[in-house]
Amino acid sequence: MIEPHAPAPPGSPPSWGGPCGPEAPARLPVRPAVGRFLVLAGVFVCAACGLVYELELVALASYLIGDSVTQASVVLSVMVFAMGLGSLAAKRLRGLAAAGFGALEAALALVGGSSAMLLYAVFAWTGGWGGLWADGPRILLVAFSLAIGVLIGAEVPLLMELIQRVRRQDPGGAVADLFAADYVGALVGGLAFPFVLLPFLGQLTGALLTGTVNAVVGAALVLGLFRRDLTRRARWLLLMANAVVLALLATATVLADDFERAARHAVYGQDVRVAVRTDVQEVVLTGDTDGRPLDLFLDGRLRVRGSDERRYHEALVHPAMSGPHARVLILGGGDGLAAREVLRHPGTGRVDLLEADPGLARLARRDPGLSALNEHAFGDARVHVLTGDAFHRLRSTPSATYDVVISDLPDPGLTASTKLYSQEFYGLLRRVLAPDGRLAVHAGPVAARPRAFWTVDATLRAAGLPATAYRVAARHPGSAPGTDRAAADLRAPRGWGFLLAARTAPALRLDPAAPRPHTLTPDALDRDARDAARTRIPGLPPSTLPHPRY
């Protein structure tokens, strides 16, 4: 049992020592029980803000850089390591716990609140310069993870000192109370980010608002509860520092919309015509004015280049439609361009388009430029738009439902798409295909990522769907969807790789009853297949849900 300690003699300096020495109780303006509650409430809010900063870095890095698993691993591991450094560094501040905590929260509010805007600025204005500048977002991501982790890690030792200053209790009980408030705050912050901040405020404004809350709560706790522990000069310095931080965050919040428009123009060019945030992703349309072709970006990655998209979609769709095609399933394809090519074939009875983002399908139906490009495919009564998780829907789909399945999905290197390139998923597709059905898969660029491409081939074969590979070169640089950010992809010549799969290896041919494609001929298909075969990497294992290999 810890004995109550006697107050320090008049005029003696307060002792902020460690556990071996007695500590003078704080001179609080409220009762100790109320003071202890306020400290724990401050812990709760600061923990919520800290987790929001963490999730914001993971989300923005996944959007800007790609590969959400890698970015989450980098942010979490670096931040946890930095929290340990911060805890060690805070030992030197225990003698000035109140002032140190106040300064710490002001710095954390500024760094965490501005991190999203600064990361986006580097991505937009310097990431396309090449060389070391292209890695600017990655370097800044690590720097912010370190800085925020150090500041968050330093909070706990200082808060432990403050809560013991309010009312002495056994260290085990104090730690339990402190971490209980911390973990509950982390829960609230973790739920608030995806369900409140991100959908209603966006990443930039959400981070700035979080920083504002962090600064206000930190300053209020120190200046309101522990002001008698600070000298007059320290109080004024802390007040001015928080005022500057709040002014900077408020100014950035007011300018956030203008900043986002300027950054978007820096990434996509000056002819951004539509920029919307759906429930799933950011959709940007550029061009389609003054004769400029329409380009479609999804989460910063080029998905459709109007001047070259016909080569992609004809190569994806037409070989698969050579044979029975009364019932067709399109996976992805919310832009309506694959559906346009499917509808060119006589005998097409029903087209189910399974798109994870209903907002994209609505835009493709209503936007004049995009609907003209897809030739108003969504207005055709044969097209039925389905939404939801592809795994869930396919598991409830009867066997042998479709004659043709068109997989118009992003590259397998994108983490969100990896499960849709797995052996388990292809097993589901094999079940819903008719016995003589065909599956066409966009498997990424063969030349740039041959190992990922041939892993898709190995995965199809493992699922009982041997495939024929072919590739089509893009006429214009940057026409192929990729895993890297848009600005970098626009400067590299790319192409597309496809796999046509069935229960027995299918031959590449075109439907003689359909209108002749604009960019595809039987001879070109033969050349494309030979070009792809020369890049084959044998002996690759398939990708599965427990062991993704892309």
Side-chain angles (χ1 to χ4, degrees):
M1 177 178 178
I2 297 178
E3 298 294 338
H5 54 273
S12 63
S15 172
W16 301 81
C20 294
E23 297 179 353
R27 296 172 295 167
L28 303 177
V30 296
R31 292 182 294 109
V34 176
R36 182 174 173 278
F37 171 79
L38 293 176
V39 172
L40 293 177
V43 173
F44 169 87
V45 174
C46 292
C49 293
L51 196 64
V52 169
Y53 299 143
E54 184 176 319
L55 295 175
E56 164 257 315
L57 285 178
V58 171
L60 193 59
S62 300
Y63 163 54
L64 301 181
I65 303 173
D67 190 358
S68 59
V69 171
T70 299
Q71 308 316 319
S73 299
V74 169
V75 171
L76 294 177
S77 57
V78 170
M79 192 169 286
V80 170
F81 165 74
M83 288 169 64
L85 297 180
S87 295
L88 290 174
K91 291 168 64 176
R92 298 179 177 273
L93 298 176
R94 292 173 63 197
L96 301 169
F101 181 76
L104 192 77
E105 292 307 298
L108 181 58
L110 182 60
V111 174
S114 63
S115 59
M117 184 170 281
L118 291 175
L119 191 60
Y120 194 31
V122 171
F123 163 79
W125 278 284
T126 70
W129 293 357
L132 183 62
W133 292 106
D135 292 323
R138 292 180 175 88
I139 296 171
L140 196 62
L141 175 68
V142 174
F144 273 124
S145 300
L146 275 170
I148 294 174
V150 166
L151 294 172
I152 291 176
E155 287 178 330
V156 174
L158 299 182
L159 285 167
M160 184 67 180
E161 287 290 323
L162 293 179
I163 201 169
Q164 290 286 58
R165 289 269 292 151
V166 172
R167 189 178 67 188
R168 291 286 297 171
Q169 62 182 113
D170 66 281
V175 169
D177 293 341
L178 193 65
F179 279 100
D182 185 80
Y183 293 151
V184 174
L187 170 67
V188 172
L191 295 177
F193 179 74
F195 296 116
V196 179
L197 296 177
L198 195 58
F200 293 104
L201 297 176
Q203 291 178 329
L204 304 187
T205 304
L208 292 167
L209 180 62
T210 302
T212 301
V213 172
N214 201 162
V216 169
V217 170
L221 183 64
V222 174
L223 295 175
L225 196 61
F226 297 98
R227 62 178 180 269
R228 295 174 183 172
D229 287 348
L230 305 177
T231 65
R232 181 180 180 88
R233 181 183 180 185
R235 287 197 296 268
W236 276 107
L237 285 175
L238 191 58
L239 187 61
M240 287 188 292
N242 279 276
V244 170
V245 169
L246 291 174
L248 290 173
L249 294 176
T251 302
T253 302
V254 171
L255 299 176
D257 289 341
D258 293 334
F259 168 85
E260 191 170 350
R261 280 191 293 270
R264 190 179 292 123
H265 288 155
V267 175
Y268 304 111
Q270 295 299 315
D271 55 345
V272 175
R273 185 169 57 80
V274 175
V276 297
R277 180 81 200 182
T278 70
D279 292 337
V280 177
Q281 60 197 341
E282 183 186 58
V283 181
V284 173
L285 292 176
T286 66
D288 193 41
T289 58
D290 300 330
R292 286 172 291 185
L294 180 145
D295 293 343
L296 169 66
F297 295 84
L298 301 180
D299 272 349
R301 295 170 183 85
L302 181 65
R303 287 292 294 148
V304 171
R305 167 150 283 182
S307 61
D308 219 16
E309 61 82 17
R310 196 174 292 274
R311 293 175 61 81
Y312 168 84
H313 289 98
E314 287 186 347
L316 173 66
V317 172
H318 284 262
M321 297 293 286
S322 179
H325 52 260
R327 303 159 299 170
V328 180
L329 171 65
I330 300 175
L331 301 173
D335 48 42
L337 300 173
R340 176 198 67 195
E341 298 302 322
V342 168
L343 294 173
R344 292 183 187 278
H345 291 74
T348 301
R350 179 185 174 97
V351 181
D352 289 339
L353 193 149
L354 181 53
E355 170 59 54
D357 185 3
L360 175 60
R362 285 194 298 269
L363 183 66
R365 181 191 296 271
R366 299 171 184 173
D367 179 78
L370 192 52
S371 63
L373 191 63
N374 65 39
E375 298 177 4
H376 306 282
F378 289 111
D380 193 301
R382 292 172 291 177
V383 176
H384 303 267
V385 178
L386 311 175
T387 60
D389 180 74
F391 256 99
H392 176 75
R393 187 170 288 276
L394 287 174
R395 292 180 73 175
S396 60
T397 301
S399 300
T401 298
Y402 298 106
D403 300 304
V404 178
V405 175
I406 307 293
S407 180
D408 185 16
L409 298 168
D411 287 3
L414 289 170
T415 305
S417 303
T418 299
K419 71 176 184 178
L420 304 182
Y421 288 85
S422 66
Q423 182 178 340
E424 292 86 349
F425 186 69
Y426 290 140
L428 291 176
L429 290 180
R430 186 180 189 277
R431 185 180 62 81
V432 302
L433 274 174
D436 56 351
R438 281 89 56 215
L439 165 65
V441 177
H442 162 238
V446 186
R449 302 184 184 92
R451 190 173 189 87
F453 179 87
W454 290 109
T455 297
V456 178
D457 176 76
T459 305
L460 284 166
R461 293 179 184 276
L465 293 170
T468 301
Y470 60 107
R471 69 180 186 180
V472 175
R475 292 187 184 275
H476 301 284
S479 295
T483 61
D484 298 326
R485 68 180 199 81
D489 283 351
L490 290 176
R491 290 164 174 76
R494 302 292 289 277
W496 305 281
F498 304 97
L499 292 161
L500 180 64
R503 283 181 168 81
T504 58
L508 284 176
R509 57 177 180 263
L510 299 177
D511 183 3
R516 181 177 176 180
H518 294 79
T519 65
L520 206 58
T521 66
D523 290 341
L525 266 180
D526 290 339
R527 290 195 303 272
D528 295 337
R530 289 194 297 270
D531 290 343
R534 283 193 288 268
T535 69
R536 177 178 291 276
I537 301 176
L540 293 175
S543 180
T544 63
L545 288 178
H547 194 167
R549 299 181 185 273
Y550 301 110

